[in-house]
Amino acid sequence: MITIALSKGRIFDEAVPLLESAGIVARDDPETSRKLILRTSRRDVRLIIVRATDVPIYVRYGAADLGVAGKDVLDEHGGAGLYQPLDLKIARCRMVVAAPDGFDYRHAVKQGGRLRVATKYVHTAREHFAAKGVHADVIRLHGSMELAPLTGLADAIVDLVSTGRTLRANRLKAVEEIAPLSARLIVNQAALKLKRPAIQPLLDAFARAAS
Ligand code: ATP
Ligand code: MG
């Protein structure tokens, strides 16, 4: 049995065509089913539905053989010990610094003063500002980062954007790009050795479909 870990929502939706290219069609829709283990059209493949940040954990410990995880998650929570053979080119977005429309970010970071930054990507944010030589006090949030600058919790946020609609709706704008992102296939290293005959054709099919 091959177990593939995915998060529902964007990643699952955009992974559907890639899975199909390997002959894998889920028997249930994770948006409407409460099942966390989904059987598929292939008797030897099942999908498990976990939080986006939990995907690398399941794969690292071998509870899943493969997983689909955003590069944001791998960068923030560590891709160590995971084989990352493929950029699936889905769930594309950008990690950015965003601030209120009226905030003079260039001036703020030039001054040598301190910047208060709210984010759930604390590691990514600290690394970014340290590399720029900017003193940043990073406050960890768990969601709705856009609210932080609007309430005085922070000057700026570090978050993902794709269309920018959420930022605009909250009168924020991207003031700096940190990195372009997309979802990656991750593979448990022991599983790759032990189940190579079953896993390699999946990697090949995903690689063809993602290119
Ligand atoms: P939740 O929203 O339930 O708190 P989450 O934010 O971890 O959980 P998603 O919003 O589904 O889950 O994001 C999952 C992954 O999809 C992210 O880790 C990122 O790689 C990608 N992603 C997030 N936001 C966007 C976006 N706006 N455009 C494209 N991809 C995105
Ligand atoms: Mg989200």
Side-chain angles (χ1 to χ4, degrees):
M1 177 65 75
I2 301 293
T3 301
I4 306 177
L6 295 154
S7 52
K8 65 179 176 185
R10 184 157 14 225
I11 297 249
F12 185 91
D13 296 345
E14 296 188 28
V16 164
L18 297 177
L19 293 168
E20 275 176 6
S21 73
I24 301 164
V25 181
R27 290 261 185 250
D28 292 282
D29 175 357
E31 297 301 333
T32 53
S33 162
R34 288 169 187 250
K35 287 184 189 162
L36 299 174
I37 300 180
L38 308 182
R39 297 199 306 145
T40 73
S41 51
R42 284 183 48 165
R43 290 182 54 190
D44 62 331
V45 179
R46 64 178 185 173
L47 309 180
I48 60 171
I49 305 300
V50 301
R51 270 308 276 272
T53 44
D54 290 340
V55 169
I57 299 171
Y58 275 82
V59 176
R60 182 170 312 116
Y61 287 96
D65 302 299
L66 309 177
V68 179
K71 185 162 188 298
D72 52 308
V73 168
L74 296 171
D75 288 348
E76 181 68 23
H77 301 279
L82 295 167
Y83 176 46
Q84 295 183 41
L86 270 184
D87 180 352
L88 296 173
K89 300 180 182 158
I90 60 171
R92 284 171 181 270
C93 54
R94 298 174 296 136
M95 185 73 74
V96 302
V97 183
D101 280 334
F103 184 73
D104 189 346
Y105 177 70
R106 305 270 153 247
H107 182 76
V109 299
K110 245 189 243 149
Q111 282 297 76
R114 300 188 85 86
L115 190 72
R116 271 157 69 98
V117 179
T119 185
K120 67 177 183 185
Y121 299 99
V122 292
H123 180 76
T124 302
R126 284 206 186 100
E127 225 171 49
H128 172 71
F129 291 110
K132 283 171 65 78
V134 171
H135 293 287
D137 293 316
V138 179
I139 302 169
R140 183 192 296 275
L141 286 179
H142 299 91
S144 301
M145 268 85 85
E146 300 82 9
L147 195 56
L150 307 179
T151 53
L153 178 65
D155 302 311
I157 61 175
V158 166
D159 198 4
L160 303 176
V161 296
S162 46
T163 63
R165 267 201 349 252
T166 307
L167 289 182
R168 274 197 298 281
N170 291 293
R171 295 169 189 264
L172 301 173
K173 60 174 192 301
V175 291
E176 189 165 64
E177 171 156 334
I178 298 178
L181 300 170
S182 56
R184 309 298 159 105
L185 187 71
I186 55 176
V187 184
N188 177 273
Q189 289 176 341
L192 184 61
K193 290 202 191 96
L194 297 170
K195 302 185 187 176
R196 171 79 83 171
I199 290 178
Q200 190 61 49
L202 296 180
L203 300 189
D204 295 342
F206 295 149
R208 276 194 303 274
S211 62

